[in-house]
Amino acid sequence: MVEMPPPPSCSFASDNAAGAHPAVMEALVAANTGHALAYGSDPWTAQVEDRFRELFGPRSRTLLAWNGTGANVLALASMIRPADCVVASQWAHIVVDETGAPERILGAKLVGLPSTDGKLVPEQLHELEHQIGVMHHAQPGVLSITQSTELGTVYTADEVASLCDEAHRLGMTVHLDGARIANATAALGGTVEALRSFTVDAGVDVISFGGTKAGLAFGEAVVYLNEALADRAVYIRKQVTQLPSKMRFVAAQFDALLRDDLWIHLAERSNSLATRLHAATATIPGLHYDAAPEVNSVFPVLPPSWVAPLQSWCFFWPWDPARGQVRWMTAWDTTEDDIDRFAAGVEVVAHYN
Amino acid sequence: MVEMPPPPSCSFASDNAAGAHPAVMEALVAANTGHALAYGSDPWTAQVEDRFRELFGPRSRTLLAWNGTGANVLALASMIRPADCVVASQWAHIVVDETGAPERILGAKLVGLPSTDGKLVPEQLHELEHQIGVMHHAQPGVLSITQSTELGTVYTADEVASLCDEAHRLGMTVHLDGARIANATAALGGTVEALRSFTVDAGVDVISFGGTKAGLAFGEAVVYLNEALADRAVYIRKQVTQLPSKMRFVAAQFDALLRDDLWIHLAERSNSLATRLHAATATIPGLHYDAAPEVNSVFPVLPPSWVAPLQSWCFFWPWDPARGQVRWMTAWDTTEDDIDRFAAGVEVVAHYN
Amino acid sequence: MVEMPPPPSCSFASDNAAGAHPAVMEALVAANTGHALAYGSDPWTAQVEDRFRELFGPRSRTLLAWNGTGANVLALASMIRPADCVVASQWAHIVVDETGAPERILGAKLVGLPSTDGKLVPEQLHELEHQIGVMHHAQPGVLSITQSTELGTVYTADEVASLCDEAHRLGMTVHLDGARIANATAALGGTVEALRSFTVDAGVDVISFGGTKAGLAFGEAVVYLNEALADRAVYIRKQVTQLPSKMRFVAAQFDALLRDDLWIHLAERSNSLATRLHAATATIPGLHYDAAPEVNSVFPVLPPSWVAPLQSWCFFWPWDPARGQVRWMTAWDTTEDDIDRFAAGVEVVAHYN
Amino acid sequence: MVEMPPPPSCSFASDNAAGAHPAVMEALVAANTGHALAYGSDPWTAQVEDRFRELFGPRSRTLLAWNGTGANVLALASMIRPADCVVASQWAHIVVDETGAPERILGAKLVGLPSTDGKLVPEQLHELEHQIGVMHHAQPGVLSITQSTELGTVYTADEVASLCDEAHRLGMTVHLDGARIANATAALGGTVEALRSFTVDAGVDVISFGGTKAGLAFGEAVVYLNEALADRAVYIRKQVTQLPSKMRFVAAQFDALLRDDLWIHLAERSNSLATRLHAATATIPGLHYDAAPEVNSVFPVLPPSWVAPLQSWCFFWPWDPARGQVRWMTAWDTTEDDIDRFAAGVEVVAHYN
């Protein structure tokens, strides 16, 4: 029987296993004061809309929403034309992890293109060109990319710009699923300029701006950089069940998260802790990494016998069981001590297995 | 220029203009502790599921969701069969106030039957019988009733039972939109037995159990009394974008609201304050009520010239502008002092107009 | 036991109980010659597209389709924007007789407005104006009128123009369900100018142009008068399952029907035979008409005891059983002798009941 | 300049470029006699339903429909449960050639599995098992296989049975897209027993039974072998716009096609002519086949310079332009002379290029 060290204070399951940042929770509590009109006619919502305009420019338009799947569906429903399909990577959350919500609510085909790293390249769009204008095929209408990707990789601003250029050339618009846009921003420089470089400046049309994984209790935002696509958005939001009634409780949280770039700082931290975890475990015999982490997750390949004892000590999810790959994900509240304890636990299991 | 008294501390716009009850907010904050697996695999969710079983029996099954439109869509999507239509009153929230969300997400027709008080009667279902089995007509599949109704009325338990009997006879199932089920429960006796009398005992199949208007910051529940209809519900919840990831923040709130019948007590209070408001204003010359309130709203008919000065002093919504009818709605946090001040303001406006 | 005269050679059930006109069938057979590319890349389709341009002008665009429900869905799917609703009369085929096909395939609400004669008036649109811009309501997007209506009435060109003006003022587009557009054209003068007066000239945007009831074996057309709405139409047609593969067999029939105004002449005949039937039966004691026929159907109110013996002798459908109303409908192949025999039968039944 | 021989009398574009068989057309014309109630209440429909029961057994149930996409959508809409996905090969017509009709009308995800020959194997279903019961993934609900496949291959009865067994073990049902079921039947023995071996006997639940490509002018059938799935089918057919009104014209054609196994004999002929074409061209230098034909199409790889001159002489479609592959397809009306002329033309082009 292996004697394990004391476990970390948190799991490595997902960044949505963390709670809300204290400043966020404090803002949520502070917003609980008297009456405020529902559905966004409140001062908290007005203020957070200003904050988003500061990030993305005065012509951007932001709608708050409940959750990631909902934000994606709202964004895509604003973008898609009849008989269009949505093109994404085969790993995209919208393709594999939303129980067919996009197909059901959009009534549209999703095309999952092959990718080894979760990223797409313009040539893959180019190959779809022969479908355009052929009445028997769903028409490529929206490109959806994820930043940072489901596989923990990050598009450079140039890569996003190239995809946007090709998409626009083909008459498509571009959606960026930014459930972890904070981690990508941190990875690309950690500034608002970095954020703009791979969004507004690159030509993205609509963003799902993640709040939950970045430190909120709940709440996401859809940011329309292409104004024309926002035209019907307030109606669509209600229609796809994503209109919070006491909206101040979403707005106040986001306001706290965006203040003084807290969202970026939290992501810088979770990113750096993934790097620390990678460094602390990469040399353990029997464990293998395909790549160093770019954001807040590592994907080690382990002997199968390690997995259960480690999971029961400090939980995480399997990734690709066929090759013994698991995912360890840090969150905004993970600490250096958590990393060190976790790495120590892996060493113990490695030693006794 | 009219000299108005100091305004109430709250508006009379809607019960969703109120914030969260302090006990609810305290529970939400208390749940913000360390990591918890997402999507309901947490102890708060397990506990609130127990509470719902205490209310509705051990065979009931409860799923937490984001908001009212979402809970309704989730409930109906679990109930409807291909080519079914949903039958409701012409005033039903699902018919007029959800921007066509049910039609879009269910892909089904909603039939809004005429009603003067927001309630339906079994004879109206009976009249649909000739459509059953005719291939050219959408098949009456689900009856959706609202309790308390959008017009502030309440079905008796017997009335609900009669509707359920007729619906079941026709092969339909019954959904109860309980966005204000707390107010109805309070109006019908204020006990868990009262709740059961017009739900489980009456034969209702699925309930949208309202949390937001009852005192939560956000959160609704779908309660399946008919187990068979819950079969695919967890998948459908995700598919209709109603799966909260950090679900503990919904569960903890509901747990606080259901504890010691807080939800009923808050509704008793808002109901009684509507009665107080009615009593304090019914005799004001020029103002007319069709009926005394049954729950937490009154619908006075006023001279048009009263509306703007009153609204700018203490906001409320118009109801039927054609006949000068407005809606004054109390909330869980309305106080007797608010009522008295509001009534005083109405008297002043009445006097000077 | 009543001794009935010999029955007519045809029923009075519906104009879709008739077969195809001989010239139509001949054209269909003639098109069965060798190979032709599918999906409309054939000379028959090119020619019938020319014929439709002759009717509706060079900027109109016509797509052939299978059936009435399909043509309506294709038309509406080309017109509707996200979160729009379709406004029609409560009697509209799309509202009551298509098993919810529009709601399923459009994902949109249909609003059935009250009407005693199957026709709408501009004031009814005007009353919807308050919903426009309110995020909680489906947005009035498409007006769908039926010409001639399901109740056998006909809009004048001016009435259509007024509806189109009001709809366009509200930002809506106008669909005309012309399953019986031939009968309406015949009733309004029987010329191509008459057709244009209540379609192109009146401001209609898209027409479902009926073929089946006018004398085809099968086949309908969707005519886009508003070019912009045809933009995605070829993709939508395939997507809503309305793309005939061996399209020449639809095109050849339509070509025969449109040649030398055959479609108008056939409708003039069925219209006049309904008038003859009305004249021959209106004075029979016990039978009552609300109005004289405008097109090819009459709606007599009869003693209930007459219905079964008449139906078993020569079939027709009940209309409003509550008041003893039935529908007798003529078709392109009904003859004067059929009318005279049928009227004689009614007299016999009247006499013995 | 190449001197080409006289072209064949027909193209090699597709079996839907052929017209209707004379016996079919004769039956269609013969059905054009007097009045018949619409929507299937006619003797032709009753008779063809009997014929289908003779093929598939007394518990099977058949609904006539317009076209292949429509029949597939009707079949799948009868089978799918909420949150299910449809699993098919990446080459399936429903996946790539129906403009997203299934996604739009079913509101469901289609999963296209990789395949080199258009066929799936049970192991591919087995790999989906881990998704079952996980709320974040669309649930594998329906397996759709095509027989014969889009790549001109044929499942043996055992192969279909193995797929059905695995699908049923996983709680899925099985749809067979039989747009070319006649060619498959011919390839597997050319008897009704052969048909039964890979359908009823193998465990298939619902069939799209192709008529158009087999020799009709238009018309497909959906055959429910699993009675329970037919429960709502008549409503769904109307709802998905696939209910022919003058249904006798579909029924009469099918009756002629099914009489004396005409459908099988026609397919035997088109199959054998593809074999003849293969034999006559396989040895032409520069032309290459991956495999001999199993049904009525061959897929030669040609030098790019051959394609345009051949197409302008006798049309056919490209298949995989990247590798110079084209498709030559025979139809029920192709003759031996057509094959010989076509092969001669290929030889001429080969000689001069």
Side-chain angles (χ1 to χ4, degrees), chain A residues 80-102:
Chain A
I80 204 161
R81 298 160 303 181
D84 271 349
C85 60
V86 177
V87 177
S89 121
Q90 70 185 113
W91 300 98
H93 200 265
I94 58 170
V95 171
V96 290
D97 289 310
E98 299 186 350
T99 320

Side-chain angles (χ1 to χ4, degrees), chain A:
Chain A
M1 181 63 187
V2 181
E3 185 72 27
M4 294 293 287
S9 64
C10 67
S11 76
F12 286 79
S14 175
D15 37 16
N16 65 21
H21 186 272
V24 166
M25 190 53 85
E26 197 175 316
L28 193 159
V29 171
N32 193 28
T33 168
H35 276 215
L37 286 184
Y39 306 119
S41 298
D42 65 78
W44 294 269
T45 301
Q47 178 162 325
V48 84
E49 288 173 352
D50 279 346
R51 286 208 186 273
F52 275 105
R53 272 187 290 267
E54 285 165 22
L55 289 181
F56 292 108
R59 301 177 74 95
S60 66
R61 186 148 169 223
T62 297
L63 269 69
L64 301 180
W66 289 119
N67 65 343
T69 298
N72 287 338
V73 166
L74 166 54
L76 295 172
S78 311
M79 302 172 79
I80 204 161
R81 298 160 303 181
D84 271 349
C85 60
V86 177
V87 177
S89 121
Q90 70 185 113
W91 300 98
H93 200 265
I94 58 170
V95 171
V96 290
D97 289 310
E98 299 186 350
T99 320
E103 286 90 347
R104 176 167 191 152
I105 302 181
L106 305 175
K109 178 182 285 297
L110 266 71
V111 176
L113 298 180
S115 170
T116 54
D117 61 358
K119 294 162 64 176
L120 297 176
V121 293
E123 290 67 30
Q124 292 179 286
L125 291 183
H126 184 69
E127 284 167 18
L128 301 174
E129 190 163 10
H130 73 279
Q131 297 180 9
I132 296 177
V134 179
M135 72 171 92
H136 306 290
H137 303 316
Q139 296 295 294
V142 179
L143 168 67
S144 179
I145 59 175
T146 310
Q147 173 82 318
S148 58
T149 75
E150 293 79 5
L151 302 191
T153 54
V154 179
Y155 287 97
T156 65
D158 282 351
E159 287 171 339
V160 176
S162 300
L163 280 163
C164 291
D165 286 350
E166 181 65 12
H168 292 154
R169 191 184 69 79
L170 296 173
M172 303 171 71
T173 54
V174 181
H175 168 244
L176 187 145
D177 179 352
R180 294 189 180 98
I181 197 171
N183 299 95
T185 302
L188 291 171
T191 61
V192 170
E193 287 66 38
L195 170 68
R196 286 185 189 138
S197 72
F198 69 85
T199 55
V200 192
D201 299 347
V204 167
D205 293 286
V206 184
I207 301 170
S208 297
F209 191 101
T212 311
K213 288 167 175 163
L216 301 192
F218 65 97
E220 305 281 311
V222 176
V223 185
Y224 295 85
L225 304 177
N226 179 336
E227 275 182 293
L229 297 174
D231 193 35
R232 311 282 292 182
V234 293
Y235 311 113
I236 299 173
R237 176 171 58 177
K238 175 85 183 230
Q239 195 182 42
V240 302
T241 81
Q242 287 291 312
L243 176 64
S245 65
K246 298 182 177 177
M247 200 183 288
R248 53 174 148 166
F249 293 120
V250 185
Q253 290 183 76
F254 253 121
D255 189 57
L257 188 72
L258 296 184
R259 196 179 305 147
D260 300 331
D261 294 344
L262 174 61
W263 64 290
I264 301 178
H265 300 320
L266 294 177
E268 282 171 335
R269 176 189 172 125
S270 60
N271 285 2
S272 72
L273 291 176
T275 299
R276 185 184 182 100
L277 179 56
H278 176 264
T281 54
T283 56
I284 296 176
L287 182 154
H288 163 75
Y289 284 107
D290 293 339
E294 297 185 57
V295 283
N296 65 322
S297 52
V298 296
F299 296 81
V301 177
L302 306 172
S305 61
W306 298 15
V307 175
L310 275 173
Q311 281 178 318
S312 67
W313 171 72
C314 180
F315 191 73
F316 54 87
W317 292 103
W319 186 255
D320 182 350
R323 62 183 293 235
Q325 195 173 33
V326 302
R327 187 186 74 175
W328 297 333
M329 183 168 265
T330 60
W332 68 263
D333 63 348
T334 308
T335 64
E336 300 192 354
D337 184 58
D338 292 327
I339 298 296
D340 298 344
R341 288 196 196 195
F342 190 77
V346 178
E347 289 203 38
V348 170
V349 168
H351 186 72
Y352 285 94
N353 271 271

Side-chain angles (χ1 to χ4, degrees), chain D residues 202-224:
Chain D
V204 168
D205 294 285
V206 184
I207 302 170
S208 297
F209 191 101
T212 312
K213 288 167 174 163
L216 300 192
F218 64 96
E220 305 282 310
V222 177
V223 184
Y224 295 85

